Amino acid sequence: MNDSTPPLSTPTGPQGLGHESLGPDGPGHDDTGPQEAPVLSVRDLEVAYRTGKQSRVRALRGVSFDLYPESSLALVGESGCGKTTLGLALLRLLPTLGEITGGEVTYTGGDGRSRDVTAMSASQLRRWRWSEAAMVFQGAQNAFNPVLTIGQQMAETLKDHARGGIGRREILERSAEALRSVRLEPRRVLGSYPHELSGGMKQRALIATGLLLHPRLLVLDEPTTALDILTQRTVIDLLAELRAEYGFAMIFISHDLALAAELADRVITMYAGKVIETGSTQDIFTAPKHPYTSKLINAVPPVTGDLPELASIPGAPPSLATLPPGCAFAPRCELATEECVQSEPELITLTQRPADMTHAAACIHHDQVHHERKVIARA
C-alpha cells in the first residue's frame, strides 16, 4: 500500500546532510534572543534503572538544557546513549524499572505558569500529558493497539486527556481535523485498523494523535524508523509544516544526523548518558568541537554532492554499569591523553550566543578537533 502523499524534493545543506540553507545560527534563529521563558527547563536530570535488589545503572547523568517556544531541538547519538530515556523521563513515562533519581524538569505553559514535572501527582500528569506535552513513540506499528481502529484510539486519547467533558461529535471533529492536518483522509483512516494502513500512513496517524489537543511541546522518538527514504521525506516535510502552523516546541530524537540537520534549530550530542556537545545546527554540522560529534558526521553519507570517505567509529559505547574512568569516549578517541582518563570533562562554553544557541563541548582537546570530510576521487 502506497502513501497518499507524494514525496517532495530533498534540500541540501551543511556537509551535504540534507539541510536547507541556514542562517548564521541555524534555521529559525532569532538574533534578538529569547523573549519568553523556556517551555522546558531541565537541570541536572538523573535517571537510573534497577538491575537487581540493590543495583542501579545510571542512564542519565546530570543532563541540563532549555527549550524555548516554537524552537526545535535534536538529540543525537548512538543507540544506548540515553536519548530515548531522556525523552521518556521528560514526560514521566519511564518503564517500571526506571526512575528519576535527581534533578528538575520545569514546564512553563502559555499562561506563564511554571510547574515541576518531577513533582506532579498521577492525576496532574494525566491532565498535563497530551494537552500540554505529547510524545510520538518509536515504531507506529507497535504504538497502536492492533485490535482497535485508529478512530477508537484517537477517541480514547481525547476522553482521557481533554480538559472537561467532551462529546462524541467534538471527538469526531477533532480527530478528523488532526488527520487532515497530516494529509490523511478521515473517512478512510478513522475506521481502519493499524494493519490496514501503510507504514507512512500509520506514522502520520500517530503524529495526528499526538497533536489532537494542540500541545505546546511535542517529543518525537525516531519518527521515521523503518520507513523507506521517500516516506521519510514526506514525514520530515510534514513535521516542518506542522511546527510552522501550530507553533509547538519540538524535541526530535534520532541517530540519523541528516534528519536532525533538517528539523533542528539546535543539536545536543549525547554519549554514555551525558550531554557532550550542544550548539546551533550550523555550529554542530560545520564546526563540531567534540571528536565524537565529528566522527558521527563523518560516518553519514551525504544526500547530494560529492561522495566523501566514510569512517566508522572504532570500538563500541561503554556499558553504563562499568563506565571507564574520566572521559567515557576516551577509549575510542584518537585525541585522548592521560589527562582525559583522570577526570570526566565538563561542558566548556566555546561561543556565547543569544536564543540559547551557546556552543559548548565536554572535551579538553576541543581546539584540536578539525572537522573535515575527505572526498573520494571519481573515475
Side-chain angles (χ1 to χ4, degrees):
M1 185 181 299
N2 295 323
D3 293 339
S4 59
T5 305
L8 304 179
S9 60
T10 303
T12 59
Q15 304 299 325
L17 287 174
H19 195 297
E20 295 177 277
S21 60
L22 301 171
D25 294 299
H29 176 67
D30 179 4
D31 288 330
T32 62
Q35 301 300 310
E36 303 178 63
V39 173
L40 204 66
S41 184
V42 180
R43 291 292 176 271
D44 300 318
L45 186 62
E46 299 268 343
V47 169
Y49 287 103
R50 294 190 298 277
T51 58
K53 291 184 178 180
Q54 303 295 329
S55 301
R56 286 183 177 181
V57 171
R58 294 174 68 197
L60 293 183
R61 303 182 295 135
V63 173
S64 298
F65 66 88
D66 289 325
L67 179 70
Y68 284 89
E70 302 184 26
S71 64
S72 177
L73 170 66
L75 304 177
V76 302
E78 294 170 287
S79 297
C81 69
K83 307 185 303 295
T84 295
T85 292
L86 175 55
L88 294 172
L90 296 178
L91 270 71
R92 296 272 302 277
L93 290 170
L94 289 167
T96 305
L97 295 179
E99 63 178 320
I100 295 175
T101 55
E104 295 181 350
V105 178
T106 303
Y107 171 81
T108 302
D111 58 0
R113 179 187 171 201
S114 296
R115 285 161 283 177
D116 183 359
V117 178
T118 64
M120 286 184 183
S121 65
S123 61
Q124 289 173 328
L125 281 172
R126 190 179 188 86
R127 291 192 298 270
W128 177 70
R129 291 185 189 131
W130 268 255
S131 63
E132 298 280 351
M135 186 167 187
V136 175
F137 297 98
Q138 182 176 357
Q141 182 63 47
N142 299 323
F144 281 120
N145 188 326
V147 300
L148 297 177
T149 66
I150 300 299
Q152 289 172 321
Q153 296 182 64
M154 295 180 82
E156 284 189 355
T157 300
L158 284 167
K159 290 176 182 176
D160 288 346
H161 299 283
R163 298 180 184 275
I166 184 169
R168 183 179 178 182
R169 184 181 184 85
E170 186 177 356
I171 287 174
L172 288 174
E173 289 176 351
R174 287 204 190 187
S175 299
E177 177 194 0
L179 289 172
R180 281 192 290 267
S181 74
V182 296
R183 305 176 193 166
L184 291 175
E185 174 53 51
R187 290 185 180 181
R188 160 78 187 285
V189 176
L190 286 174
S192 298
Y193 290 90
H195 72 272
E196 296 178 306
L197 304 178
S198 71
M201 292 174 75
K202 279 197 289 283
Q203 192 64 58
R204 283 184 279 156
L206 195 60
I207 294 170
T209 303
L211 294 174
L212 271 173
L213 296 167
H214 303 295
R216 200 161 188 247
L217 168 66
L218 185 65
V219 179
L220 301 109
D221 185 12
E222 303 277 7
T224 59
T225 297
L227 299 179
D228 63 79
I229 190 168
L230 297 180
T231 307
Q232 283 186 22
R233 174 78 262 148
T234 298
V235 172
I236 294 305
D237 289 332
L238 179 63
L239 286 171
E241 291 174 13
L242 289 171
R243 188 161 73 97
E245 180 179 354
Y246 291 106
F248 53 79
M250 183 170 70
I251 295 178
F252 180 77
I253 300 169
S254 181
H255 66 276
D256 190 327
L257 273 70
L259 301 184
E262 290 223 36
L263 284 175
D265 305 316
R266 180 173 161 228
V267 176
I268 283 179
T269 305
M270 296 189 66
Y271 191 80
K274 286 184 70 74
V275 174
I276 61 168
E277 186 166 9
T278 178
S280 71
T281 304
Q282 181 75 14
D283 283 339
I284 294 296
F285 285 101
T286 60
K289 290 302 178 183
H290 195 288
Y292 177 65
T293 306
S294 179
K295 288 182 178 295
L296 280 179
I297 296 171
N298 283 340
V300 178
V303 176
T304 61
D306 292 327
L307 180 65
E309 181 180 316
L310 302 181
S312 61
I313 306 176
S319 167
L320 294 174
T322 55
L323 287 173
C327 176
F329 186 64
R332 308 172 69 187
C333 182
E334 59 190 23
L335 297 179
T337 60
E338 184 63 30
E339 186 178 359
C340 297
V341 299
Q342 291 177 353
S343 61
E344 191 167 29
E346 298 296 327
L347 281 171
I348 302 170
T349 299
L350 305 174
T351 307
Q352 186 75 46
R353 286 182 176 161
D356 195 37
M357 290 294 177
T358 295
H359 191 184
C363 179
I364 60 175
H365 301 302
H366 61 84
D367 56 341
Q368 298 178 38
V369 179
H370 303 300
H371 181 71
E372 61 180 349
R373 306 192 79 178
K374 298 178 180 178
V375 176
I376 298 174
R378 297 185 182 274

